[in-house]
Amino acid sequence: MSQFERLRVMFGAAPRKPVLVTPEAQQVHSLKRMTKADFEALKQHARDHQLVTHKWRNRRWAVLLLVNLLFTFSFWLDIQMLEGALTASRLVGFHLIDLNSALQVMLAHKHIIVNLFIGTATVFVIWALLGGRSFCSWVCPYHLLAEWFEWLHLKLAAGKLVSDHEFHRGVRSVFWVVFAALAVLTGYTVFETISPTGILSRALIYGPSLALGWVLLLLVFEVVYSRRAWCRYVCPIGLTYGMAGAISPLRVDYRLEKCFHEGDCRKVCLVPHVLDVVIKGRAAALTTPIGPDCTRCGLCVDVCPSGALVFDVKGLQKLL
């Protein structure tokens, strides 16, 4: 899958089967042509010998809680190490600005402040290196709450008490344009008013407010009607960071020759469309990097029974 194709999928297009498949990948695909019984036996063997682990999930939760609590305790203890909130802050005096917030401010005020530029450039470099939507799964407090409430949704869905209603993923790109246009037309950062990321960050630091009612309403909607609706279909933050992280050397790699196509990774993935490549016959090469809409959460890496999905740094193997 080309970089252009991965970007196209991030903006809401449906993944397509590859037109060109390398000879090496074709050979692996042909070797996997076996009876259904044999194929199921291979998948079960992989699952039976899997070491159950939540290594990456636990690391991610620990980092997310640490980052957000650092804001909180810096304010409460007045140590002035990390001032502000996730939308805009200073780390020991050095400005850090959330990319989407900076974009909204620039569009609303129609000029660039020096400190705003410095803070934005710094954050851009950080997330361009870390890649994908890693901000979402490793830092965003709403993402963590949505992940926990998703467990409740799945329990209720298993009991047929609720069902998931999907929307076209392209609607997120539409919302990105709408919020940008509102900033230009109104001179006000409309999205920041309703962003659960900013609301939760400020609530953790400065105390709760009535705005938490909006966050609760979103979570209830996701539990009873549409699974992870805000992150998948509305929030422009993920799209902004996905564009910034598209050039990152850090990514999740899919290795075709190790895959049994059992589908466990797609079941746990927070954005399952990025793992379309793991479907049998969809990989165009032996190794394929997962696209920029990937949140780098590591859930697929934890659950993969055969090690077909791994974190990797582009070009690192050549240096070793």
Side-chain angles (χ1 to χ4, degrees):
M1 185 187 293
S2 67
Q3 180 73 321
F4 172 78
E5 179 67 12
R6 287 191 283 269
L7 288 170
R8 194 182 70 86
V9 171
M10 183 178 71
F11 284 106
R16 296 183 295 203
K17 291 188 69 172
V19 177
L20 298 175
V21 180
T22 64
E24 295 82 3
Q26 287 177 351
Q27 184 179 16
V28 173
H29 286 309
S30 64
L31 290 173
K32 291 181 178 180
R33 288 174 185 166
M34 56 187 73
T35 66
K36 185 175 181 180
D38 289 339
F39 195 61
E40 291 300 325
L42 274 176
K43 292 196 294 186
Q44 191 57 49
H45 180 271
R47 287 187 176 125
D48 290 343
H49 291 80
Q50 176 191 17
L51 295 175
V52 178
T53 175
H54 297 295
K55 177 178 67 176
W56 284 106
R57 185 203 67 181
N58 294 341
R59 289 173 177 175
R60 179 167 52 85
W61 286 4
V63 170
L64 193 152
L65 291 171
L66 179 63
V67 169
N68 283 277
L69 289 177
L70 187 57
F71 279 102
T72 303
F73 290 124
S74 291
F75 176 75
W76 287 1
L77 301 177
D78 195 24
I79 57 178
Q80 298 181 357
M81 184 195 319
L82 187 58
E83 304 170 272
L86 278 179
T87 50
S89 59
R90 287 193 303 175
L91 178 63
V92 290
F94 200 81
H95 291 273
L96 300 170
I97 314 292
D98 165 62
L99 296 182
N100 197 74
S101 300
L103 177 64
Q104 294 282 317
V105 170
M106 291 176 191
L107 292 173
H109 296 282
K110 302 175 182 62
H111 71 276
I112 300 175
I113 305 168
V114 174
N115 286 339
L116 183 67
F117 177 79
I118 294 172
T120 305
T122 304
V123 172
F124 176 84
V125 170
I126 292 172
W127 295 111
L129 290 174
L130 294 176
R133 289 171 50 199
S134 45
F135 170 87
C136 300
S137 61
W138 288 80
V139 174
C140 176
Y142 182 79
H143 191 282
L144 182 60
L145 282 182
E147 193 173 342
W148 290 345
F149 274 77
E150 184 178 30
W151 176 86
L152 178 58
H153 168 87
L154 293 174
K155 287 291 184 183
L156 295 175
K160 300 189 183 302
L161 297 175
V162 301
S163 59
D164 184 30
H165 297 80
E166 295 184 357
F167 302 95
H168 193 287
R169 290 185 300 99
V171 74
R172 185 181 58 168
S173 299
V174 174
F175 273 113
W176 192 94
V177 173
V178 167
F179 286 124
L182 285 173
V184 173
L185 295 174
T186 66
Y188 187 70
T189 54
V190 177
F191 172 73
E192 294 306 317
T193 306
I194 64 171
S195 169
T197 302
I199 291 171
L200 285 170
S201 181
R202 290 187 291 271
L204 281 169
I205 301 165
Y206 308 119
S209 68
L210 291 176
L212 288 177
W214 164 244
V215 177
L216 180 60
L217 185 64
L218 287 175
L219 292 170
V220 170
F221 179 81
E222 293 183 348
V223 169
V224 303
Y225 191 79
S226 184
R227 180 181 177 184
R228 300 187 67 84
W230 177 264
C231 299
R232 289 183 178 179
Y233 309 119
V234 180
C235 185
I237 295 176
L239 194 57
T240 301
Y241 278 99
M243 288 187 281
I247 59 175
S248 171
L250 175 63
R251 68 269 183 100
V252 175
D253 270 351
Y254 169 65
R255 297 175 179 177
L256 173 62
E257 71 276 11
K258 293 187 176 183
C259 184
F260 291 105
H261 310 286
E262 81 294 327
D264 290 351
C265 53
R266 286 173 60 84
K267 293 175 185 176
V268 301
C269 183
L270 304 175
V271 280
H273 60 275
V274 303
L275 290 178
D276 184 78
V277 70
V278 309
I279 298 173
K280 191 177 179 183
R282 291 296 181 93
L286 290 181
T287 301
T288 305
I290 304 304
D293 211 23
C294 171
T295 65
R296 309 297 200 263
C297 68
L299 289 176
C300 64
V301 178
D302 278 342
V303 80
C304 181
S306 58
L309 290 159
V310 295
F311 278 104
D312 190 31
V313 177
K314 184 179 180 181
L316 182 62
Q317 292 298 323
K318 297 178 180 180
L319 299 175
L320 298 177

